[in-house]
Amino acid sequence: MLKVQDLHAYYGKSHVLHGVNFDVQPGEIVALLGRNGSGRSTTAKAIMGLVHAEGTIDWNGQSLLKRKAYEIAKLGLGYVPESRDIFPRLTVHQNLMLGEKGGKKASRWTYDDMYAMFPRLQERQNTEAGVMSGGEQQMLTLCRTLMGDPDLIIIDEPTEGLAPKIVELVGEYLKKLKDRGISVLLIEQKLTIAMHISDRTLVMGHGSIVFDGTPDQLRADAATRKEWLEV
Ligand SMILES: Nc1ncnc2c1ncn2[C@@H]1O[C@H](COP(=O)(O)OP(=O)(O)O)[C@@H](O)[C@H]1O
Ligand SMILES: [Mg+2]
């Protein structure tokens, strides 16, 4: 469904991605791992039309390159960036409303689904989003993206700065998305949840993919982990 080939990306003159190749199949959870600065977020931004890129990004037979970010979102790609960009002065419920795309097709998600998945958000639905904890804001960002009914969700370091208990929860929710047929590209630095929930793991180093295999294959590949992941 998503196929990235020979992808290059640039910030001005700075050449950051050097020929990235990978794909994500329907219903698959793929973890994109790597150290800080390896190019994972830039890969997400390139797919979402947020950075200058060259190469091939094919989405169900359509090219995503050179499209505007809102068009890409309309084609069924959801993006949860590193920065939990909620609207702090709006309530939780208002934030969710902003995620709806208002297309003709009925969304596979309702507000009730979000509140059932995250009871904490229901309790706080009339609270200003800006006063919630980091973990709650992370859940809200994820839910707002889901309200746009994506077929693939790209989620950038969702567990960064969260307590271990919440990290586990995030892993469970990502699996629930998969159960509803949504593909997930999970960007992480830590192996913890990625190794548990992914069907496949990609490792990025210096702007290209240096490993593509199952979590078991990555577990068995001490050299790759040592060279590209361990800090
Ligand atoms: N806005 C930017 N302008 C210039 N260089 C950037 C920008 N964002 C990231 N970079 C550089 O691009 C490289 C890849 O960064 P990034 O994709 O954010 O890595 P990761 O998400 O894996 O930590 C790094 O060398 C980083 O310094
Ligand atoms: Mg990043």
Side-chain angles (χ1 to χ4, degrees):
M1 81 192 295
L2 176 72
K3 192 167 178 62
V4 172
Q5 281 175 297
D6 196 29
L7 181 68
H8 293 254
Y10 306 82
Y11 295 105
K13 283 193 187 138
S14 167
H15 187 175
V16 169
L17 298 185
H18 301 273
V20 172
N21 297 291
F22 68 92
D23 58 22
V24 180
Q25 297 301 321
E28 215 183 7
I29 301 185
V30 177
L32 178 57
L33 302 165
R35 290 200 185 98
N36 270 335
S38 57
R40 298 158 302 152
S41 295
T42 304
T43 302
K45 289 183 211 164
I47 295 167
M48 297 308 297
L50 300 170
V51 61
H52 175 69
E54 285 166 12
T56 309
I57 305 175
D58 182 273
W59 170 249
N60 297 324
Q62 298 185 78
S63 170
L64 296 186
L65 272 185
K66 318 291 177 220
R67 284 186 197 258
K68 300 263 186 299
Y70 75 86
E71 285 180 69
I72 294 171
K74 273 203 166 159
L75 289 172
L77 286 99
Y79 174 46
V80 183
E82 273 174 298
S83 51
R84 297 154 191 180
D85 59 349
I86 51 146
F87 297 91
R89 304 303 303 277
L90 300 182
T91 67
V92 165
H93 197 78
Q94 287 167 335
N95 268 274
L96 289 183
M97 288 168 71
L98 286 172
E100 285 188 295
K101 293 236 181 62
K104 276 179 223 122
K105 173 173 87 106
S107 167
R108 89 190 97 185
W109 302 97
T110 63
Y111 296 107
D112 286 344
D113 287 330
M114 299 299 129
Y115 291 141
M117 199 156 49
F118 297 105
R120 190 74 186 135
L121 292 183
Q122 181 162 33
E123 287 164 25
R124 314 210 90 187
Q125 58 178 298
N126 298 315
T127 304
E128 277 187 13
V131 308
M132 298 199 302
S133 72
E136 290 165 348
Q137 292 187 14
Q138 183 65 45
M139 293 171 200
L140 179 56
T141 313
L142 172 61
C143 289
R144 195 184 61 213
T145 306
L146 287 178
M147 290 306 288
D149 202 20
D151 297 310
L152 166 72
I153 192 160
I154 301 176
I155 181 162
D156 198 347
E157 301 219 37
T159 65
E160 181 63 22
L162 300 186
K165 264 226 166 89
I166 314 279
V167 168
E168 246 173 70
L169 266 185
V170 171
E172 281 171 32
Y173 294 128
L174 294 178
K175 273 203 286 198
K176 285 191 193 178
L177 303 190
K178 178 190 161 88
D179 293 342
R180 291 227 185 173
I182 297 175
S183 309
V184 179
L185 181 63
L186 166 67
I187 297 176
E188 273 290 345
Q189 186 178 14
K190 296 179 290 271
L191 297 183
T192 8
I193 64 164
M195 295 299 259
H196 283 110
I197 68 169
S198 326
D199 300 299
R200 202 145 50 82
T201 55
L202 308 169
V203 179
M204 190 156 221
H206 305 320
S208 61
I209 301 293
V210 295
F211 175 92
D212 183 339
T214 63
D216 279 342
Q217 286 168 333
L218 181 56
R219 238 175 246 121
D221 189 341
T224 294
R225 280 187 284 114
K226 186 161 193 289
E227 185 167 4
W228 300 109
L229 293 170
E230 283 160 19
V231 264

